[in-house]
Amino acid sequence: MEEMLVYERDEWFSRAKQAMDNKTKPLGSLGFLEEIACRLVVIQRSLKPSVEKVLVVVFAGDHGIAEEGVSLYPQEVTYQMVLNFLRGGAAVNVLARQVGAELLVADLGVKGVFSPHPALLSLKVREATRNALHENALTRTEVEEAIEEGKEVALRYGKEKDLLIAGEMGIGNTSSASLVLSALFDIPLDEMVGKGTGMEGERLEHKRKVLKEVFRRRKWERNDPLSLLEAFGGLEIAGMVGFYVGAASLGKAFVVDGFISTAAFAIASAMFPPVKEYAFLGHLSEEKGHRLVVEKLGMKPILSLGMRLGEGTGAVLSVPILRAAASLLREMASFEQAGVSKSREEGKG
Amino acid sequence: MEEMLVYERDEWFSRAKQAMDNKTKPLGSLGFLEEIACRLVVIQRSLKPSVEKVLVVVFAGDHGIAEEGVSLYPQEVTYQMVLNFLRGGAAVNVLARQVGAELLVADLGVKGVFSPHPALLSLKVREATRNALHENALTRTEVEEAIEEGKEVALRYGKEKDLLIAGEMGIGNTSSASLVLSALFDIPLDEMVGKGTGMEGERLEHKRKVLKEVFRRRKWERNDPLSLLEAFGGLEIAGMVGFYVGAASLGKAFVVDGFISTAAFAIASAMFPPVKEYAFLGHLSEEKGHRLVVEKLGMKPILSLGMRLGEGTGAVLSVPILRAAASLLREMASFEQAGVSKSREEGKG
């Protein structure tokens, strides 16, 4: 990945800020939208940034750990939901249609065989990860393969787009994400284990116990991010790591979704720090632990609506806000164009 | 205004909630979007709510108090910005275009004469309010007239719409809003006076001093909301009060914008409590005092992006979120339709 030179980045940022400050509005009054617009300018190296063409890829994979009852839903829901995505009936389909985004599903490791479908990318590395309670979820080769596939998806389908989004589906994947994030940031597991699909009381207690045992049994190296994916999985998370790296290497802005996407992003940015320059955070998830990790990563969520669905939904929902920021910079009149007085002092002149 | 019967409201709400719970997603995982969708169902009395047709009306008026240097911008900026709205160059124009909303400007009391324009409603009650430091900003008759005009705007132009939004423009109007809200909720003025267009240091201190003196000199009755508008103005705020009442009497959902819009909404709901049933809050403004008032009103902002621009921008920016909520309820597949297992227990069956 080519890292943008610091002086070049600063130059674009200050040109963007100057253009924004000349728009007919009190200085800074568009708040976070101004920062978003300026970052888009830097990423696209253009004072007329665009967020029109959006690609959403839902990465799907199954988890061996699902055998241990760490989700409210049975494992076959991953397969069923992939069919739902392909038929257009899931939440992310509805939201992608609303913003006119192209939606693809990448099968990195779902249990079961799918019929061919134009929106389905068959990239299965293996059928589900191994059960991390008993052995490493993946081998190093499998992790690398899944990352490579995810990167290829970005490079192949993202080239003509303005903005890239990865979503995920995989029963049991809040477990993988919790383990990965706890290990990567050295945060106690208790603070990273949330209710996922909706666990409460005894069942949530059971999930905590299982994950603590997994954490105790597996071996990894904090400084070797791939070893975390080997230990805890999953294939869809590894695919998203590659997707983010691919997006950044294309020089494309991308939007991180919720808790699981953030785990993938954390791995990607631990491996290649420059990917951070291209990342927006779509929303703050309701899943316990997301807030803490987001703070560690120094990210600022665009939305905060108490969602905890995944699939990329929070990221896709933020697209109109990113578009608004770009449009305001492109289309608003400057003080000079509109003949509006810039301040009391000038007004008196 | 016809108040919806409680049992009827509850009936629609529970039908909406049941439909939402049957969608292919973990229970409650769409967070605030689910509440928004259910409220739209109640307001529109339909399980297929729609937020397609949106009307934005920017109410404009000048303020006598602007003479006292309570804004960074000179009074003529109100007039200049109305021209900017009519030419399509202001922030609210850009955002309204993005969501395909119709935008009108209602001149309730701008200083100066405009040429006719198809998007301009000439409803001037008087040219600017009086300077509240020396006398009441408005007479009772002027307040009533402005409210009536605002109500008429909603009734005439809102009939065929799904969602109504009022924005505002008026140099000096954070001063009126601060005074109105401080008086209405018995909150110390210091907590309600913010930087408005961007005041800091000595100039903000000056604004505080002027407003405290106004507060001391004027007379009003907390239980008579119109007396607050008489004392402090402004004409555009009174127009918005009427607009909200009109929207509710049409049975239409509306979105409140920021600090000044919330002052108008607070007056409207003090006069006619049922208007609350139709109100959404588009965003939390950066203007000091908004958070406190929003809490008093028991409202929940959809966005929180550090904006403090007014014009209706925060409300218009929330439209895609309201649309998403409605679309998810209309378009997502149910568990039955998609053949997705509803829970671990069912999955085992």
Side-chain angles (χ1 to χ4, degrees), chain A residues 18 58 73 75 107 115 141 173 209 223 237 239 324 334 338 348-349:
Chain A
Q18 195 181 359
V58 182
Y73 292 82
Q75 192 172 53
D107 171 15
S115 309
T141 311
N173 68 8
K209 249 170 75 180
N223 294 330
I237 297 177
S334 67
K348 277 180 179 158

Side-chain angles (χ1 to χ4, degrees), chain A residues 24 26-27 29 31-32 71-73 76 80 84 89 97-98 197 203 305-306 308 320 324 331 333 341-342 344-345, chain B residues 24 26-27 29 31-32 71-73 80 84 89 97-98 197 203 305-306 308 320 324 331 333 341-342 344-345:
Chain A
T24 45
L27 215 59
S29 60
F32 192 19
S71 172
L72 273 189
Y73 292 82
E76 58 262 35
Q80 294 164 346
N84 198 15
R97 278 198 295 273
Q98 187 176 306
T197 46
R203 301 196 64 164
L305 293 164
R308 50 175 174 82
E331 300 177 23
S341 309
K342 216 170 166 178
R344 174 159 286 270
E345 284 64 33
Chain B
T24 45
L27 215 60
S29 59
F32 192 20
S71 172
L72 273 189
Y73 291 83
Q80 294 164 347
N84 198 14
R97 278 199 294 273
Q98 188 175 305
T197 46
R203 300 197 63 165
L305 293 164
R308 50 175 175 80
E331 299 176 25
S341 309
K342 216 170 166 177
R344 175 159 286 269
E345 285 64 32

Side-chain angles (χ1 to χ4, degrees), chain B residues 14-287:
Chain B
S14 74
R15 286 177 66 188
K17 192 167 175 337
Q18 194 180 1
M20 197 47 118
D21 287 350
N22 268 319
K23 299 297 185 181
T24 45
K25 58 170 184 56
L27 215 60
S29 59
L30 283 168
F32 192 20
L33 292 181
E34 302 195 12
E35 185 187 325
I36 292 171
C38 292
R39 289 198 55 216
L40 287 169
V41 164
V42 173
I43 294 169
Q44 301 188 358
R45 305 182 197 206
S46 160
L47 283 171
K48 307 261 180 211
S50 171
V51 193
E52 288 316 300
K53 288 170 283 173
V54 179
L55 172 69
V56 181
V57 182
V58 182
F59 289 84
D62 270 307
H63 292 255
I65 191 84
E67 291 167 10
E68 306 298 331
V70 292
S71 172
L72 273 189
Y73 291 83
Q75 192 171 53
E76 58 263 35
V77 165
T78 308
Y79 183 90
Q80 294 164 347
M81 281 301 294
V82 167
L83 295 182
N84 198 14
F85 296 138
L86 296 176
R87 288 192 204 108
V92 71
N93 297 103
V94 176
L95 299 176
R97 278 199 294 273
Q98 188 175 305
V99 300
E102 180 182 2
L103 189 142
L104 300 172
V105 183
D107 171 15
L108 273 281
V110 179
K111 252 188 157 167
V113 179
F114 295 102
S115 309
H117 186 286
L120 177 68
L121 310 176
S122 295
L123 310 169
K124 226 187 282 276
V125 173
R126 55 173 281 125
E127 285 211 349
T129 58
R130 297 171 193 83
N131 184 343
L133 187 60
H134 303 305
E135 57 189 319
N136 269 358
L138 295 166
T139 65
R140 168 74 49 146
T141 309
E142 287 161 352
V143 168
E144 287 172 346
E145 202 181 317
I147 290 177
E148 197 50 37
E149 295 289 8
K151 190 175 167 188
E152 274 301 309
V153 169
L155 297 180
R156 176 172 303 182
Y157 299 95
K159 215 167 203 156
E160 305 298 321
K161 305 291 183 187
D162 301 316
L163 188 76
L164 276 58
I165 290 173
E168 42 56 49
M169 178 69 218
I171 293 299
N173 67 8
T174 57
S175 291
S176 290
S178 297
L179 290 158
V180 163
L181 288 166
S182 180
L184 186 64
F185 290 119
D186 197 16
I187 299 169
L189 195 56
D190 269 336
E191 299 194 34
M192 282 297 115
V193 180
K195 56 186 185 175
T197 46
M199 292 220 153
E200 280 172 347
E202 268 179 43
R203 300 197 63 165
L204 180 55
E205 208 31 68
H206 171 72
K207 179 178 173 183
R208 274 211 193 92
K209 249 170 76 180
V210 170
L211 296 195
K212 275 183 190 170
E213 188 58 23
V214 172
F215 205 71
R216 201 182 61 76
R217 291 189 190 173
R218 300 274 69 76
K219 299 266 170 287
W220 72 89
E221 270 297 326
R222 185 161 298 132
N223 295 330
D224 173 14
L226 294 194
S227 73
L228 305 176
L229 295 171
E230 280 178 74
F232 309 122
L235 289 158
E236 80 282 35
I237 297 177
M240 294 166 89
V241 171
F243 186 81
Y244 293 142
V245 172
S249 73
L250 280 173
K252 301 286 184 183
F254 62 89
V255 189
V256 177
D257 184 33
F259 187 63
I260 292 138
S261 310
T262 302
F265 174 70
I267 298 272
S269 60
M271 291 165 65
F272 304 103
V275 301
K276 285 193 181 190
E277 306 290 333
Y278 300 89
F280 292 90
L281 179 61
H283 80 133
L284 184 68
S285 166
E286 189 71 4
E287 176 70 8

Side-chain angles (χ1 to χ4, degrees), chain A residues 51 65 74 104-105 162 164-165 170 177 188 205-206 221 251 256 261 284 314:
Chain A
V51 193
I65 191 83
L104 299 172
V105 183
D162 302 315
L164 275 58
I165 290 173
E205 209 31 68
H206 171 72
E221 270 298 325
V256 177
S261 310
L284 184 68

